[in-house]
Amino acid sequence: MAEVGRRTVTSTAAAAALLLIGGGFARAQSAKATRPAHTTDDVRLRLPAPSGPHRIGVTTLYLVDRSRHDPWESLPVREVMVSVFYPARTVRGRPIAAQMTAGAAATFPHLDPLFHRELPTTGVNWAATRTHAHTGAPAQPVRRPVLLYSPGGGDPRTLGTGLAEELASRGYVVVTIDHPGDGSEVEFPQKRAGREQVRITAFRGNPRTDPKIFRTVVGTRIADTRFVLDQLAVLAAGRNPDALGRALPECLGHALDLRRVGIYGHSVGGTTAAQTMYEDRRIGAAVNLEGFLDYAPEKPGQEGKLLPVAQYGVDRPLLLVGTDGFPEKQALEPSWSAMLAHPRGHTRRRQLSNATHGVFTDYAVFAPQLQAAGLMTAAGRNSLIGAIDPAESVPMVRSEVHSFFAQHLPSH
């Protein structure tokens, strides 16, 4: 997870901010200018097919919260991009969606390896990865439970595609959320004054080393998530919340049952999921995939102050899922133990063995493919996801998350 600080909104300032990471961004930008985005020999990564009975549609929404200023940039509004995955009535004639937009995919290899140093900077065509969802397909006119997803700090929402598709194929509407200025790269439908069309992260390090920044990260994500839920209510009421008024898939609003809402997230997205449920009664169940439930310590070696969700507990179901190989497992333990100690027993805990932090994302399948192609070392793969085989990890993560929501927010 990476850290963010305020900066002026120009491409020069963006580069200057990221120069703090050993000059890596400047080198990446130089390389980007002298080589094509990809070649015919570049590896094309594959996502695992969803296993549920429903074909999937997908669309994106550009949402603008005019009641908030952006916390990371000098922007007068807060913009959020989301993808909506849903069971489709038909997919005939609807194209398969790419995992990443073209602009985000072009930026990804020059930026994300600065934060996940196991990743290659060349040799992958990130724009070529296809999902199993069909762009703009008409939705089934059946009210479905809604699940919100918040990604790990510094990660784009697109790295949660595999799990989102699995849940959509099993009868859920899944809304994956980008948190601009936090996510590594977020592409908007158009430019606006003060930012480029592809907005890059302002993160510079680890937010656990800066209590003020960590609080801003968490607070901003909670506000983003609650705003998205507000806009889904607009959609369910028959109106179009997209800030540009772009066309919506047929029956999409009719597919939302906002009486049944869950949330899940990875890393600080898991923190967001748990605390948002605590703050918002509209959310009935939450899954935290290895996210802290305390604030960053004020000084090294100290324990951080518990988030309210861990301090006071919740009266709705919460699932904590961790790994045995998470490097910060010892620092995670106090807040998770506090969460589990509440007497009402609404919280459960699970653990994946032979795995580490990135196993909850699409890196679970990408890392072994990169290793097989000679683009990632065995040590790099183990650092990113653990030695666990995706044939084991992918069904395990899917099963944990789906079975939890199927119990507490059934799709039928």
Side-chain angles (χ1 to χ4, degrees), residues 3-67:
E3 171 184 305
V4 64
R6 294 192 66 86
R7 59 185 172 85
T8 55
V9 191
T10 67
S11 58
T12 302
L18 287 163
L19 280 170
L20 296 177
I21 316 175
F25 184 74
R27 292 194 298 271
Q29 289 292 82
S30 176
K32 180 179 178 181
T34 58
R35 68 170 185 270
H38 58 82
T39 71
T40 56
D41 294 329
D42 283 348
V43 170
R44 298 182 175 214
L45 301 175
R46 299 177 306 280
L47 288 164
S51 65
H54 299 288
R55 302 295 294 273
I56 307 167
V58 67
T59 193
T60 61
L61 297 175
Y62 167 48
L63 307 175
V64 178
D65 185 351
R66 302 188 183 281
S67 71

Side-chain angles (χ1 to χ4, degrees), residues 35 212 360 366:
R35 68 170 185 270
K212 183 178 179 181
F360 299 111
F366 288 168

Side-chain angles (χ1 to χ4, degrees), residues 18-331:
L18 287 163
L19 280 170
L20 296 177
I21 316 175
F25 184 74
R27 292 194 298 271
Q29 289 292 82
S30 176
K32 180 179 178 181
T34 58
R35 68 170 185 270
H38 58 82
T39 71
T40 56
D41 294 329
D42 283 348
V43 170
R44 298 182 175 214
L45 301 175
R46 299 177 306 280
L47 288 164
S51 65
H54 299 288
R55 302 295 294 273
I56 307 167
V58 67
T59 193
T60 61
L61 297 175
Y62 167 48
L63 307 175
V64 178
D65 185 351
R66 302 188 183 281
S67 71
R68 286 188 293 153
H69 292 275
D70 190 276
W72 312 123
E73 311 277 14
S74 299
L75 296 170
V77 296
R78 177 64 175 165
E79 303 168 289
V80 180
M81 290 298 299
V82 305
S83 293
V84 185
F85 297 86
Y86 52 90
R89 178 172 56 79
T90 179
V91 297
R92 181 174 298 176
R94 302 292 179 168
I96 291 284
Q99 182 187 25
M100 301 181 189
T101 62
T107 305
F108 188 91
H110 310 295
L111 189 58
D112 289 68
L114 300 178
F115 306 120
H116 299 291
R117 295 186 181 275
E118 304 90 346
L119 293 174
T121 57
T122 60
V124 182
N125 183 353
W126 293 101
T129 302
R130 292 294 177 263
T131 69
H132 302 86
H134 297 256
T135 301
Q140 295 178 12
V142 177
R143 295 288 184 185
R144 304 280 186 182
V146 175
L147 303 178
L148 308 173
Y149 170 69
S150 182
D155 282 343
R157 72 187 191 276
T158 49
L159 287 177
T161 297
L163 183 53
E165 290 193 316
E166 173 68 12
L167 294 166
S169 80
R170 292 185 171 274
Y172 293 86
V173 176
V174 184
V175 182
T176 62
I177 305 170
D178 259 333
H179 304 282
D182 176 334
S184 51
E185 61 281 316
V186 180
E187 183 164 10
F188 294 93
Q190 61 183 23
K191 294 181 181 181
R192 72 173 298 147
R195 67 150 175 80
E196 300 297 322
Q197 187 163 348
V198 178
R199 179 176 172 182
I200 65 170
T201 185
F203 276 17
R204 305 178 191 177
N206 187 338
R208 295 295 292 184
T209 66
D210 190 317
K212 183 178 179 181
I213 288 177
F214 187 78
R215 284 177 179 268
T216 303
V217 170
V218 175
T220 299
R221 283 167 165 260
I222 292 169
D224 287 349
T225 304
R226 299 185 71 177
F227 168 66
V228 168
L229 194 49
D230 293 341
Q231 297 308 294
L232 293 178
V234 172
L235 178 58
R239 302 191 301 276
N240 186 350
D242 188 272
L244 297 178
R246 297 177 301 169
L248 299 172
E250 181 184 339
C251 293
L252 183 60
H254 295 294
L256 305 176
D257 184 353
L258 296 179
R259 298 167 301 175
R260 294 180 289 168
V261 177
I263 185 170
Y264 67 104
H266 173 235
S267 195
V268 75
T271 309
T272 303
Q275 185 59 30
T276 303
M277 181 174 72
Y278 176 86
E279 296 185 18
D280 198 317
R281 298 295 306 181
R282 293 175 292 180
I283 297 174
V287 178
N288 174 357
L289 302 172
E290 210 157 60
F292 288 95
L293 293 177
D294 57 6
Y295 293 109
E298 293 294 329
K299 295 181 180 178
Q302 293 182 344
E303 290 187 4
K305 181 181 179 181
L306 293 176
L307 284 156
V309 66
Q311 186 174 358
Y312 301 112
V314 288
D315 58 359
R316 283 151 288 157
L318 172 64
L319 176 65
L320 309 176
V321 188
T323 64
D324 63 344
F326 183 36
E328 297 187 67
K329 186 177 179 180
Q330 185 175 353

